[in-house]
Amino acid sequence: MGESNESRERLISCAKAEFLRVGYQKASLRHICTEAGLTTGAVYFMFGDKNGLFGAVVEKPLSELFALLGQHIAEEKEEDMSAYTHIKGDHDAFAQEIVELLYENYDEMMILLDKSQGSEYENLPDRIIAMLDECYGVVAQRFAKSRGRRVNEYMLHYMSHIQVESIIHLLTHERDKQKAVENIKPVFDMLVSSFVEYVLE
Amino acid sequence: MGESNESRERLISCAKAEFLRVGYQKASLRHICTEAGLTTGAVYFMFGDKNGLFGAVVEKPLSELFALLGQHIAEEKEEDMSAYTHIKGDHDAFAQEIVELLYENYDEMMILLDKSQGSEYENLPDRIIAMLDECYGVVAQRFAKSRGRRVNEYMLHYMSHIQVESIIHLLTHERDKQKAVENIKPVFDMLVSSFVEYVLE
Amino acid sequence: MGESNESRERLISCAKAEFLRVGYQKASLRHICTEAGLTTGAVYFMFGDKNGLFGAVVEKPLSELFALLGQHIAEEKEEDMSAYTHIKGDHDAFAQEIVELLYENYDEMMILLDKSQGSEYENLPDRIIAMLDECYGVVAQRFAKSRGRRVNEYMLHYMSHIQVESIIHLLTHERDKQKAVENIKPVFDMLVSSFVEYVLE
Amino acid sequence: MGESNESRERLISCAKAEFLRVGYQKASLRHICTEAGLTTGAVYFMFGDKNGLFGAVVEKPLSELFALLGQHIAEEKEEDMSAYTHIKGDHDAFAQEIVELLYENYDEMMILLDKSQGSEYENLPDRIIAMLDECYGVVAQRFAKSRGRRVNEYMLHYMSHIQVESIIHLLTHERDKQKAVENIKPVFDMLVSSFVEYVLE
DNA sequence: TATGAATGAGATTTCATTCAT
DNA sequence: CATGAATGAAATCTCATTCAT
């Protein structure tokens, strides 16, 4: 009957639209399939189940996100911060990079970060926060030691949390990539300077 | 058979527990009613529908929250900030007050802020953010004028956003009221100082 | 709308017919409900789920069966068999009793013993066999000791098995109660005499 | 791509495993085919349909079973029983033979006799019983005449039935061939002596 | 005041089967 | 010789909601 790839793409595209519109949980397979001109069985043939379809939609952008994240974390951990003084614009490069990635796959990222409730990925933000937590924990500890101060654990976790929230906020409030880049810069400045100022006590 | 009031209270109490456990959307009326020893019809008689039941659960704490918020906003708006310089601990009183209110009605606040998806109140955070937005817009404008600087609209909105997120984060990560008070203080310090530093450009 | 009891009875009656015709597994809730002039939701309201409906159909006859079985087993265990010699007709009374019970609830017993695959009760025959096994194990042991012989474990289990099979065979091959009583008598004679002759070696 | 025969064998082998594990009805073609590294279409090409696949799995053992059965029946029918007196061990040779055949093709026989529900062969036991019925009817009639007794038709059929049940019981309760041979001997003794004692009345 | 019965629309999932290629 | 795509019909179940009593 139809070409596999065409149908597959159509299904993914319709699913993407539906997930974006109503979120994973309320998304109706029936509706997606009708939209794509197929029956629900086709989804089970091609993707296994509803979660599989979700996976197919977000797969690639997700792995790219993890790649960038992993790289960023590795760099942060290696940096010698004993003599660090924050200067505005410090992190503009990373800001650029992350926004680039996010907006290159805008729909998928929105789905992943804001519309995944009920799916396997519903706790993705929490997982990212946990990764940052761990990373910043190491950094803060070293930093604290070099300056004779202590780490406020609550603030540490909070900073990871709002960093992720900041990204989601950007995504949900600014559709234009260039503007997004500009918007996120002061946010990052703020986060970094606050880290130095409030995580260490 | 049962006294109306008793049944009403029981229903509200069971609903509260269920909403807290699984969120509005996944909460089952039947389950709530069974738990309360009543039938679903009772809900429709007493509260109109599922949303009405939700409303009854959160009603009072919600209006108190709005009251405090309104008061806070009024004060902020009236303050003369032309000569303001942030000092850590500045906002400890408000911190105390808001935490007090939040933790006095912990369950309801959690439901309202973290478990309301699918209900009429699902965008409560956004509504609060909008209120803060408006308020801080006025403040920032005045502040900016008095110092010859401009307001970064994105940062303005972002600050409102993370202020609300900070509250939610506190609620979801610290159940003890005293500790919550201590935790939120540096957060508020950070927010205020960042406001001065990053909203004005 | 409809009277509860009427609908309930109609549902149970239609379910009974369907289970009898095609067995639990292939029985269609939809079909049962259509037949009863209701929707599937009604089943879930009244019986919880498909298994619950099955339970409602067989409940009473099942407990009666267990009662008779328990009584029979208790008697068997207490009997002093040291001087036992089998005489044809020995067990006619029990034959009468069990057939009476079985045929008083013919449909339900058929469903229970021959049409329950896929339900919670699918292993009812095995459970009965296990009960008999245990009982006859005790009897045989005592019997064997009093005559200086040993118990053939395989034959012991086999005898329990064909006793149950004999009942099922009767049920499926003779619908008339009086004829059933007559038919089962020689079967029981055969089983008892074979027990003495072949379980002990 | 693959050799037809190889694929065929693989398919049959995987189907055998699946049927054995979950029975014909619950067996999933897709699962069998995945396991075999083929697609469902292959089954339809090679075997027509699910039932055809089942047939291919049990074909050979089934015809061997029928052969042995036919031979056994022929012999029984020819035997002059006018002066027959049962002696234990009488039928040990046949016991050996049938167990040999059954355990030489253990999986297929299990499938055929215990896992075929839903397939074309689901009533195989009944068909075998019918064959035995007919045979034993002839034998019993002659026997009865020579001794001036009558045949109890119910018992006649019942004996055929439990003979088949005995085989199935053996198969499902004893995997070792040697032990199976020993186990079945007293069973056959019992059946033969009961035949003489209880079929004739 | 509240019940209890019932609906109806929906959900996800499974599966044997078909057929163009 | 076999694939891969797709169907279509069915399955069980969930739930908010309605309404006569």
Side-chain angles (χ1 to χ4, degrees):
Chain A
M1 328 240 154
E3 295 290 307
S4 163
N5 249 20
E6 231 182 84
S7 294
R8 210 188 131 89
E9 290 318 318
R10 227 161 46 231
L11 226 27
I12 287 181
S13 155
C14 293
K16 182 153 52 180
E18 176 96 346
F19 291 147
L20 205 50
R21 205 165 45 84
V22 298
Y24 177 82
Q25 195 148 239
K26 299 186 82 169
S28 156
L29 274 193
R30 247 194 217 169
H31 186 242
I32 292 169
C33 292
T34 302
E35 210 74 3
L38 295 168
T39 60
T40 56
V43 165
Y44 289 86
F45 173 72
M46 296 196 235
F47 305 102
D49 61 7
K50 196 185 181 185
N51 247 309
L53 176 57
F54 189 86
V57 168
V58 300
E59 203 171 39
K60 229 193 82 208
L62 178 60
S63 71
E64 290 177 13
L65 179 60
F66 271 125
L68 180 58
L69 222 58
Q71 182 194 327
H72 172 63
I73 283 176
E75 285 170 16
E76 290 277 326
K77 276 188 175 170
E78 269 181 24
E79 217 166 322
D80 173 21
M81 300 198 67
S82 53
Y84 179 75
T85 312
H86 170 60
I87 297 163
K88 285 188 185 182
D90 244 9
H91 287 68
D92 285 4
F94 176 59
Q96 179 92 33
E97 240 178 325
I98 183 97
V99 168
E100 203 78 41
L101 175 58
L102 255 28
Y103 281 73
E104 214 62 46
N105 308 279
Y106 186 81
D107 289 354
E108 292 85 348
M109 291 300 180
M110 275 291 274
I111 291 172
L112 229 20
L113 294 170
D114 202 42
K115 304 285 186 176
S116 63
Q117 213 194 79
S119 79
E120 274 178 343
Y121 301 89
E122 66 179 352
N123 52 3
L124 177 63
D126 289 343
R127 277 163 55 204
I128 296 176
I129 290 170
M131 289 168 65
L132 295 178
D133 244 11
E134 197 268 341
C135 165
Y136 295 151
V138 171
V139 172
Q141 216 63 47
R142 221 168 40 216
F143 207 10
K145 211 165 266 178
S146 77
R147 312 218 170 170
R149 292 160 81 186
R150 283 184 329 161
V151 173
N152 179 325
E153 292 290 338
Y154 181 82
M155 286 304 286
L156 180 65
H157 184 273
Y158 168 74
M159 292 304 300
S160 303
H161 184 87
I162 59 169
Q163 185 174 6
V164 171
E165 275 304 324
S166 300
I167 294 295
I168 297 178
H169 182 262
L170 182 70
L171 227 35
T172 51
H173 289 80
E174 180 55 69
R175 182 58 256 254
D176 182 76
K177 195 208 289 190
Q178 283 319 314
K179 289 184 187 160
V181 170
E182 293 314 310
N183 286 342
I184 203 65
K185 285 178 183 170
V187 171
F188 274 23
D189 281 335
M190 184 198 114
L191 292 175
V192 175
S193 87
S194 295
F195 186 92
V196 175
E197 184 75 12
Y198 294 94
V199 170
L200 306 184
E201 59 182 7
Chain B
M1 314 202 169
E3 295 290 308
S4 164
N5 245 22
E6 236 182 76
S7 294
R8 216 187 123 87
E9 291 317 317
R10 230 162 42 234
L11 224 28
I12 287 180
S13 156
C14 293
K16 181 157 45 177
E18 176 95 346
F19 291 146
L20 201 52
R21 206 165 45 83
V22 299
Y24 177 82
Q25 196 150 238
K26 298 185 83 170
S28 155
L29 270 197
R30 245 189 130 185
H31 187 249
I32 291 169
C33 292
T34 302
E35 211 74 4
L38 295 169
T39 58
T40 53
V43 167
Y44 286 87
F45 178 76
M46 294 196 258
F47 305 101
D49 62 5
K50 195 186 183 185
N51 249 308
L53 175 56
F54 189 86
V57 168
V58 299
E59 204 171 37
K60 228 191 83 207
L62 179 60
S63 71
E64 290 178 15
L65 180 60
F66 272 127
L68 179 59
L69 223 56
Q71 183 193 328
H72 173 64
I73 284 175
E75 284 171 16
E76 290 276 329
K77 276 187 176 171
E78 271 179 24
E79 217 165 323
D80 173 20
M81 299 199 68
S82 55
Y84 179 76
T85 312
H86 170 61
I87 295 164
K88 283 188 186 182
D90 243 8
H91 287 68
D92 284 4
F94 177 60
Q96 181 91 34
E97 235 177 328
I98 184 96
V99 168
E100 203 78 39
L101 175 59
L102 256 27
Y103 282 72
E104 215 61 47
N105 308 279
Y106 186 82
D107 288 355
E108 292 85 348
M109 293 299 181
M110 275 291 274
I111 290 171
L112 230 18
L113 295 170
D114 202 42
K115 305 283 188 176
S116 63
Q117 213 194 79
S119 78
E120 276 176 344
Y121 299 86
E122 67 180 353
N123 52 5
L124 177 63
D126 289 342
R127 278 161 54 204
I128 297 176
I129 290 168
M131 290 168 64
L132 295 178
D133 244 10
E134 197 269 341
C135 164
Y136 295 150
V138 171
V139 173
Q141 217 64 48
R142 222 167 40 217
F143 207 9
K145 212 166 267 178
S146 77
R147 312 218 170 172
R149 291 160 83 185
R150 283 183 329 161
V151 172
N152 178 327
E153 292 291 337
Y154 181 82
M155 285 304 285
L156 180 64
H157 180 74
Y158 168 73
M159 291 305 299
S160 304
H161 183 87
I162 61 170
Q163 185 174 3
V164 172
E165 275 305 324
S166 300
I167 295 295
I168 297 177
H169 184 263
L170 182 70
L171 228 36
T172 49
H173 288 80
E174 180 54 68
R175 181 58 253 253
D176 182 76
K177 195 209 291 190
Q178 285 318 314
K179 289 185 189 158
V181 170
E182 294 314 309
N183 286 341
I184 203 66
K185 285 177 183 170
V187 171
F188 274 22
D189 281 335
M190 183 197 116
L191 292 175
V192 175
S193 90
S194 294
F195 187 91
V196 175
E197 183 77 12
Y198 295 95
V199 170
L200 307 183
E201 59 183 7
Chain C
M1 328 239 153
E3 294 290 308
S4 163
N5 249 20
E6 230 181 85
S7 294
R8 211 188 131 88
E9 291 319 318
R10 227 162 47 231
L11 226 27
I12 287 182
S13 155
C14 293
K16 181 152 55 179
E18 176 96 347
F19 291 147
L20 204 50
R21 205 164 46 83
V22 299
Y24 177 82
Q25 195 147 241
K26 297 185 85 167
S28 156
L29 273 194
R30 246 194 218 170
H31 186 244
I32 291 169
C33 291
T34 302
E35 210 73 5
L38 296 168
T39 59
T40 58
V43 165
Y44 288 89
F45 173 72
M46 296 196 235
F47 306 101
D49 62 6
K50 195 185 182 185
N51 248 307
L53 176 57
F54 189 88
V57 169
V58 299
E59 203 173 37
K60 228 193 80 207
L62 179 60
S63 71
E64 291 177 14
L65 179 61
F66 270 125
L68 180 59
L69 222 58
Q71 183 194 328
H72 172 63
I73 283 175
E75 284 170 16
E76 289 276 327
K77 276 187 176 171
E78 271 181 23
E79 218 166 323
D80 172 22
M81 300 199 68
S82 55
Y84 179 76
T85 313
H86 170 61
I87 296 164
K88 283 188 186 182
D90 244 9
H91 286 69
D92 284 4
F94 177 59
Q96 180 92 33
E97 239 178 325
I98 183 98
V99 168
E100 203 78 40
L101 175 59
L102 255 30
Y103 281 73
E104 215 62 45
N105 309 279
Y106 186 81
D107 288 355
E108 292 85 348
M109 292 299 180
M110 275 291 274
I111 291 172
L112 229 19
L113 294 170
D114 202 42
K115 304 285 187 175
S116 63
Q117 213 194 79
S119 79
E120 275 179 341
Y121 301 89
E122 66 178 353
N123 52 2
L124 177 63
D126 289 342
R127 278 163 54 205
I128 296 176
I129 290 169
M131 290 169 63
L132 295 178
D133 244 9
E134 197 269 341
C135 165
Y136 295 151
V138 172
V139 172
Q141 216 65 46
R142 220 168 42 216
F143 206 10
K145 211 165 266 178
S146 77
R147 313 218 168 169
R149 291 159 82 185
R150 284 183 328 160
V151 172
N152 178 326
E153 292 291 337
Y154 181 82
M155 286 305 285
L156 180 66
H157 185 272
Y158 169 73
M159 292 305 300
S160 304
H161 184 87
I162 60 170
Q163 185 175 4
V164 172
E165 276 303 324
S166 300
I167 295 295
I168 297 178
H169 182 261
L170 181 71
L171 227 35
T172 49
H173 288 80
E174 179 56 69
R175 180 61 256 257
D176 182 76
K177 194 209 291 188
Q178 284 319 313
K179 288 185 189 160
V181 171
E182 293 314 310
N183 286 342
I184 202 67
K185 285 177 183 171
V187 170
F188 274 23
D189 281 335
M190 184 198 114
L191 293 174
V192 175
S193 87
S194 296
F195 187 91
V196 176
E197 183 76 12
Y198 294 94
V199 170
L200 306 184
E201 60 181 8
Chain D
M1 314 199 172
E3 295 291 307
S4 166
N5 245 23
E6 238 182 75
S7 294
R8 215 186 125 87
E9 291 317 317
R10 229 162 44 232
L11 224 27
I12 288 180
S13 156
C14 294
K16 181 158 42 179
E18 176 94 347
F19 291 146
L20 200 52
R21 205 165 46 83
V22 298
Y24 176 81
Q25 196 150 236
K26 299 186 83 171
S28 156
L29 269 197
R30 244 190 131 186
H31 186 249
I32 291 169
C33 292
T34 302
E35 211 74 4
L38 296 169
T39 58
T40 52
V43 166
Y44 287 86
F45 177 78
M46 293 195 259
F47 304 101
D49 62 6
K50 196 186 183 186
N51 249 308
L53 176 57
F54 189 87
V57 169
V58 298
E59 204 170 38
K60 228 192 83 208
L62 178 60
S63 70
E64 290 178 15
L65 180 61
F66 271 127
L68 179 59
L69 223 57
Q71 181 193 329
H72 173 63
I73 284 175
E75 284 170 16
E76 290 276 328
K77 276 188 176 170
E78 271 180 21
E79 216 166 322
D80 173 20
M81 300 198 68
S82 54
Y84 179 75
T85 312
H86 170 61
I87 296 163
K88 283 188 185 182
D90 245 10
H91 287 67
D92 285 5
F94 177 59
Q96 180 90 36
E97 236 177 328
I98 184 95
V99 169
E100 203 78 41
L101 175 58
L102 255 28
Y103 282 73
E104 213 62 45
N105 306 280
Y106 186 83
D107 289 354
E108 291 85 348
M109 293 299 180
M110 275 291 274
I111 291 172
L112 229 19
L113 294 170
D114 200 44
K115 304 284 187 176
S116 63
Q117 213 193 81
S119 78
E120 276 177 343
Y121 299 87
E122 67 180 351
N123 53 4
L124 176 63
D126 289 342
R127 278 162 56 204
I128 296 176
I129 289 169
M131 290 168 65
L132 294 178
D133 244 11
E134 197 268 342
C135 163
Y136 294 150
V138 171
V139 173
Q141 217 63 47
R142 221 168 40 216
F143 206 9
K145 210 165 266 177
S146 77
R147 312 219 170 169
R149 291 160 81 186
R150 283 184 329 161
V151 173
N152 179 326
E153 291 292 337
Y154 181 81
M155 286 303 287
L156 180 66
H157 180 74
Y158 169 73
M159 291 305 301
S160 304
H161 183 87
I162 59 169
Q163 184 173 4
V164 171
E165 275 304 324
S166 300
I167 293 297
I168 297 178
H169 183 264
L170 182 71
L171 226 36
T172 50
H173 289 80
E174 179 55 68
R175 181 59 255 250
D176 182 76
K177 195 209 289 189
Q178 283 320 313
K179 288 184 189 159
V181 170
E182 293 315 309
N183 285 341
I184 203 66
K185 285 178 183 169
V187 170
F188 274 23
D189 281 336
M190 183 197 114
L191 292 175
V192 175
S193 89
S194 295
F195 187 92
V196 174
E197 183 76 11
Y198 294 94
V199 170
L200 305 184
E201 59 182 10

